[in-house]
Amino acid sequence: MKHLWVCRLMLVLVLLLSGSERAESKKYLRCELTRVLVENYNFDKTFLSNWICLVEHESYLDTTKITLNKNDSKNYGLFQINSKDYCAEGRKGGQCNMKCEDFSNDDIGDDIACARMIQEREGFKYWKGWDRFCRNPQNLPNLRVACNLRSLSPLRTPRSFFYVSG
Ligand SMILES: *[C@@H]1O[C@H](CO)[C@@H](O)[C@H](O)[C@H]1NC(C)=O
């Protein structure tokens, strides 16, 4: 009787652990990310194809991607944010005052906040993936055609985006 109870408990634990692991990682599809960026994060449609192109070449749309660089720094997450400038490892830090490890889970709200700050300060050229593959507008995906961009609009009023942290 007691043995059975322990078995059930272990089964529940295993299910919980595997469930949370699944929720931690996410690989987006192009149009899925396009929709999320417009609807949930109020991205300007004018530059959206630059963002999508950038993310496709930096992380292949994988929220868990971590890249080790030759100079010992690492790039984290969807936007491959670098641990030597905009975030810090193991603690909050860098110019975004954020923890790099937080950029490699499936919560992309913090990644986006930091990526927007980087883009405002340095432009898209901060990202080598953008510089190499997306600088020429002819290489940008046509989201209007591919993802029906025109039909998408933000789900909330712009004001409420201000309060969204994650
Ligand atoms: C380290 O290398 C990465 C990737 O090449 C680069 O983005 C970053 O700016 C470099 N950091 C420093 C401090 O040299």
Side-chain angles (χ1 to χ4, degrees), residues 67-75 80-85 126-128:
T67 311
L68 180 60
N69 301 313
K70 289 196 191 86
N71 62 18
D72 253 12
S73 67
K74 285 186 206 142
N75 295 344
Q80 291 291 286
I81 295 169
N82 188 268
S83 62
K84 284 206 172 148
D85 46 27
Y126 168 84
W127 289 277
K128 294 202 177 69

Side-chain angles (χ1 to χ4, degrees), residues 76-130:
Y76 283 85
L78 208 54
F79 297 93
Q80 291 291 286
I81 295 169
N82 188 268
S83 62
K84 284 206 172 148
D85 46 27
Y86 281 93
C87 60
E89 292 177 305
R91 60 179 173 87
K92 280 188 173 186
Q95 293 182 59
C96 288
N97 194 28
M98 289 182 188
K99 197 169 141 185
C100 297
E101 286 84 351
D102 289 343
F103 293 147
S104 62
N105 58 26
D106 70 343
D107 172 10
I108 61 172
D110 48 359
D111 306 54
I112 286 171
C114 187
R116 279 179 152 152
M117 190 175 120
I118 296 172
Q119 200 275 332
E120 275 166 25
R121 289 190 177 185
E122 310 199 26
F124 287 116
K125 66 181 190 317
Y126 168 84
W127 289 277
K128 294 202 177 69
W130 181 87

Side-chain angles (χ1 to χ4, degrees), residues 23-146:
E24 280 283 294
S25 111
K26 173 149 182 65
K27 193 162 161 46
Y28 279 93
L29 301 171
R30 171 186 279 182
C31 294
E32 184 187 16
L33 185 63
T34 298
R35 186 172 50 73
V36 167
L37 293 184
V38 172
E39 290 186 345
N40 300 346
Y41 295 97
N42 202 20
F43 268 66
D44 187 335
K45 291 183 184 179
T46 316
F47 301 108
L48 200 55
S49 58
N50 283 276
W51 284 111
I52 294 293
C53 182
L54 177 168
V55 168
E56 285 181 343
H57 288 101
E58 289 286 342
S59 65
Y60 310 99
L61 306 158
D62 184 351
T63 62
T64 56
K65 189 173 166 67
I66 298 174
T67 311
L68 180 60
N69 301 313
K70 289 196 191 86
N71 62 18
D72 253 12
S73 67
K74 285 186 206 142
N75 295 344
Y76 283 85
L78 208 54
F79 297 93
Q80 291 291 286
I81 295 169
N82 188 268
S83 62
K84 284 206 172 148
D85 46 27
Y86 281 93
C87 60
E89 292 177 305
R91 60 179 173 87
K92 280 188 173 186
Q95 293 182 59
C96 288
N97 194 28
M98 289 182 188
K99 197 169 141 185
C100 297
E101 286 84 351
D102 289 343
F103 293 147
S104 62
N105 58 26
D106 70 343
D107 172 10
I108 61 172
D110 48 359
D111 306 54
I112 286 171
C114 187
R116 279 179 152 152
M117 190 175 120
I118 296 172
Q119 200 275 332
E120 275 166 25
R121 289 190 177 185
E122 310 199 26
F124 287 116
K125 66 181 190 317
Y126 168 84
W127 289 277
K128 294 202 177 69
W130 181 87
D131 207 41
R132 275 190 70 187
F133 299 102
C134 314
R135 185 183 271 281
N136 181 348
Q138 284 185 330
N139 295 339
L140 297 176
N142 188 337
L143 301 176
R144 204 174 302 194
V145 172

